[in-house]
Amino acid sequence: MPYTVTLAPDHTAFTVETGEPILAAAKRQNLNLPHSCQNGICGQCKAEVLSGQVQQGSHAELALSSEEMAEGKILMCCSTAQSDVALKVAGYNGAGAPPVKTLPARVAGIEFLHDVALLKLALPKAPPFVFWPGQYIDILLRDNHVRSYSMANHPANADILELHIRKHEGGLFSNMLFGEAASVKEKAILRIRGPLGTFTLQESEKPVIMLATGTGFAPIKSLLRHMIAIGSRRPVHLYWGARHEADLYQLQEAADLIAELPDARFTPVLSRPSESWAGARGYIQQHVLTDYADLSAFEVYACGSSKMIMGAQQVLEQERGLPKNAFFSDAFTEAAV
């Protein structure tokens, strides 16, 4: 039987089916609740149970402390309702969030950079598509398959969306873009749903550290463009990590964006560099530890692999005093082929 989930403080309500994860039900009904990985890893979809009964998946303990669980905190991505439920969700923007829409998109162009496709999608001009920098869209494929990608462009240019898609051997959508048998080509029509996600820049004057691995640069790029557009003077330090130099597929563009901000630094980092690489080596979180002794007054925005995000959050909070509420992330997890 269906149950009703009510969100505080604005009393938004939606239904959830028996056995259906609360987050999945919210997304199905176009509610944009805070989330990232949707696999119980990142902890972005935490909520406090105010009333009702909820069954939580066993892997929630990966992102929830024993204290949080004792306080009634859950992860909405892996929790199911056992009765009508009331939740308090930090970061929920209620009616103020951009509306989630399903609409057609035409492939306006594809540019291949190393093993990354820069896919540009043209959207209908009316009504305008509205999103916040850092958000993502779902591409709706056949047989109910969905693939999620962050927008790299600025919302002021929302009629053309820019997505960064890495090639994955055997990947469902990847195979549609790369190779001789690619079926997604210029002028093809796709269906998309969005905007989704809450990986967005907070209204603050605190210094910012941005961490990206691989195509995690895409939403970071959107955030940087937003900061440039609003004339932000917040100090920014971008760390972009990859294995090889070619994996930093927009290295010069990243440097150019940083150069447009009045107080910004850029540190590209390679874990498997060639002998000719003169830049930083190793892993990005280790370079943050070297560069900063105290992060208590900072905000960190991290996007990329779940391993990087979990490691960075732990070490920056424990060793550099980063407040728990000052770490914002978007974890990329590979979908099953």
Side-chain angles (χ1 to χ4, degrees):
M1 62 175 291
Y3 296 112
T4 299
V5 177
T6 304
L7 304 175
D10 69 350
H11 304 294
T12 297
F14 61 97
T15 58
V16 56
E17 299 297 329
T18 301
E20 183 181 25
I22 292 171
L23 179 62
K27 289 186 64 180
R28 176 171 55 80
Q29 293 163 81
N30 292 335
L31 280 171
N32 203 359
L33 301 185
H35 68 277
S36 177
C37 74
Q38 304 176 66
N39 288 308
I41 296 173
C42 69
Q44 295 296 302
C45 65
K46 291 179 185 177
E48 178 184 352
V49 179
L50 300 179
S51 66
Q53 299 298 315
V54 171
Q55 181 176 336
Q56 181 144 245
S58 59
H59 56 297
E61 62 189 27
L62 293 173
L64 289 174
S65 66
S66 57
E67 292 82 3
E68 288 176 318
M69 296 181 76
E71 293 170 355
K73 298 289 179 62
I74 64 166
L75 297 183
M76 294 183 289
C77 70
C78 55
S79 296
T80 57
Q82 306 298 300
S83 68
D84 290 344
V85 175
L87 299 177
K88 181 178 181 181
V89 183
Y92 171 56
N93 295 292
V100 179
K101 303 177 180 179
T102 299
L103 65 165
R106 177 176 53 83
V107 176
I110 308 174
E111 179 183 1
F112 295 96
L113 300 176
H114 185 43
D115 63 349
V116 172
L118 269 62
L119 177 66
K120 295 191 176 180
L121 300 179
L123 303 184
K125 294 188 179 298
F129 183 71
V130 179
F131 71 92
W132 287 334
Q135 290 190 295
Y136 71 90
I137 59 167
D138 284 342
I139 295 181
L140 309 179
L141 304 173
R142 292 181 178 177
D143 300 322
N144 295 319
H145 290 295
V146 175
R147 293 297 181 265
S148 303
Y149 300 102
S150 299
M151 278 85 74
N153 53 293
H154 186 266
N157 309 114
D159 55 332
I160 300 286
L161 302 184
E162 177 186 330
L163 311 179
H164 298 181
I165 302 170
R166 185 173 296 281
K167 181 179 181 180
H168 290 291
E169 293 299 329
L172 176 61
F173 192 60
S174 176
N175 284 349
M176 297 170 68
L177 282 171
F178 293 88
E180 296 181 0
S183 59
V184 175
K185 299 181 180 180
E186 194 164 342
K187 297 184 180 180
I189 302 297
L190 300 171
R191 290 176 64 244
I192 70 167
R193 180 177 61 230
L196 300 164
T198 53
F199 181 65
T200 57
L201 195 68
Q202 304 300 299
E203 293 185 4
S204 165
E205 296 302 319
K206 291 183 177 181
V208 171
I209 290 176
M210 294 182 171
L211 308 177
T213 54
T215 53
F217 174 63
I220 295 293
K221 182 178 178 181
S222 184
L223 294 180
L224 289 172
R225 284 175 161 167
H226 174 65
M227 296 183 77
I228 293 167
I230 65 175
S232 173
R233 304 194 66 83
R234 297 173 67 176
V236 178
H237 194 159
L238 167 63
Y239 296 82
W240 186 10
R243 292 180 177 179
H244 309 288
E245 187 171 359
D247 297 327
L248 300 176
Y249 54 91
Q250 285 195 325
L251 181 61
Q252 187 57 54
E253 182 154 0
D256 291 343
L257 287 170
I258 288 296
E260 291 191 53
L261 291 165
D263 186 5
R265 299 168 59 190
F266 177 35
T267 302
V269 183
L270 297 183
S271 61
R272 300 181 186 178
S274 65
E275 293 183 0
S276 63
W277 175 253
R281 298 166 180 251
Y283 297 97
I284 53 179
Q285 55 264 44
Q286 294 303 318
H287 284 276
V288 179
L289 293 179
T290 298
D291 294 340
Y292 296 92
D294 182 4
L295 295 177
S296 59
F298 282 71
E299 290 177 352
V300 173
Y301 296 81
C303 188
S305 69
S306 298
K307 182 178 179 181
M308 179 276 286
I309 287 175
M310 293 177 67
Q313 182 171 15
Q314 182 178 42
V315 74
L316 298 183
E317 289 177 358
Q318 292 181 356
E319 299 189 24
R320 292 296 182 266
L322 180 73
K324 289 185 178 295
N325 63 356
F327 188 92
F328 307 95
S329 66
D330 189 1
F332 286 6
T333 55
E334 288 191 31
V337 297

